[in-house]
Amino acid sequence: MVLMKFREAEAASEYYKQYNNRKFSSMEPERCQVIYIESVEINSVILPPYTFPFIHDDLISEETLPTCPVCLEPMDEHVTGLLTIICQHTFHSHCLSK
């Protein structure tokens, strides 16, 4: 599952049109399901704060930021995009695209 936030409603609509009900690959039967959501509630007691970095922005300094397992640089979502995969590991977006 991936949660995406779009700046404009038009961009979200275009993404929906392009990817909803589309096969992930020609070799797999599963299809992408895109849904609109109104809000998200996060229980930060259950989830570690680095899973959703925006929860404790005021408490995190560069010294306490977790590091990317690929490049070993601090993972600051204000500088670069972060991607959390299904097993809850977080990486810089550009590190996973390599």
Side-chain angles (χ1 to χ4, degrees):
M1 178 171 51
V2 175
L3 178 64
M4 300 174 74
K5 181 178 180 179
F6 293 89
R7 289 192 175 103
E8 289 112 23
E10 289 178 15
S13 181
E14 286 299 316
Y15 186 89
Y16 182 89
K17 289 177 191 173
Q18 184 172 355
Y19 292 103
N20 189 46
N21 208 27
R22 183 177 179 180
K23 283 188 172 185
F24 288 108
S25 78
S26 61
M27 297 185 298
E28 299 177 26
E30 290 87 10
R31 294 182 175 270
C32 177
Q33 298 296 311
V34 180
I35 59 170
Y36 290 100
I37 58 170
E38 187 174 321
S39 65
V40 175
E41 290 185 28
I42 300 168
N43 185 341
S44 63
V45 176
I46 295 172
L47 297 172
Y50 56 82
T51 304
F52 296 95
F54 54 83
I55 294 176
H56 300 290
D57 282 346
D58 56 333
L59 302 175
I60 297 176
S61 69
E62 188 170 318
E63 297 167 355
T64 61
L65 287 171
T67 56
C68 175
V70 176
C71 69
L72 304 178
E73 294 293 320
M75 292 191 293
D76 185 355
E77 79 277 2
H78 299 294
V79 176
T80 184
L82 299 180
L83 182 64
T84 301
I85 59 177
I86 198 162
C87 62
Q88 300 304 312
H89 289 97
T90 304
F91 304 88
H92 290 121
S93 298
H94 63 271
C95 288
L96 278 186
S97 67
K98 291 181 180 179

